[in-house]
Amino acid sequence: MVTQTQKQTYTPEEYLELEEQAEFRNEYQDGEILLMAGGTVNHNRIVRNLIRILDIEFQDRVLEVFSTDLRLWIPTTRTTFLIL
């Protein structure tokens, strides 16, 4: 016999409240809170290089490039992204 477990869903406000106390970084996707994987040295090198390229490419536009610790709420997909 297979038992299904019911997923708990959270509001964006509940997620933000829980995230303030969280030991690990999490991501919010339409009510679910998902654990994010930790970064590696190579991942950080790639991010650093990509930001350099994007900053140069977008210098004449009204765009901003961010590298880390910025939480974005995307209302159309009900998703929060933590930019790493």
Side-chain angles (χ1 to χ4, degrees), residues 3 10-11 16 18-20 22-23 35 38 40 43 47-48 52 56-57 64-65 70-71 73 77-78 80 82-83:
T3 305
Y10 300 87
T11 66
L16 291 173
L18 290 168
E19 193 66 9
E20 286 181 15
E23 187 176 338
L35 183 64
T40 64
H43 174 264
V47 169
R48 179 191 64 213
R52 281 187 198 150
I56 291 167
E57 187 65 33
E64 243 181 306
V65 178
L70 181 66
R71 198 175 312 281
W73 171 250
T77 61
R78 294 182 42 81
T80 297
L82 180 64
I83 306 302

Side-chain angles (χ1 to χ4, degrees), residues 7-10 15 27-34 78:
K7 290 182 184 179
Q8 174 152 0
T9 58
Y10 300 87
Y15 161 71
E27 183 176 350
Y28 179 84
Q29 290 186 2
D30 198 23
E32 288 186 68
I33 296 176
L34 307 169
R78 294 182 42 81

Side-chain angles (χ1 to χ4, degrees), residues 46-77:
I46 292 167
V47 169
R48 179 191 64 213
N49 292 335
L50 182 59
I51 286 173
R52 281 187 198 150
I53 292 166
L54 291 174
D55 269 339
I56 291 167
E57 187 65 33
F58 296 144
Q59 65 187 355
D60 297 327
R61 299 170 91 186
V62 187
L63 298 172
E64 243 181 306
V65 178
F66 296 99
S67 61
T68 186
D69 296 335
L70 181 66
R71 198 175 312 281
L72 298 175
W73 171 250
I74 314 298
T76 55
T77 61

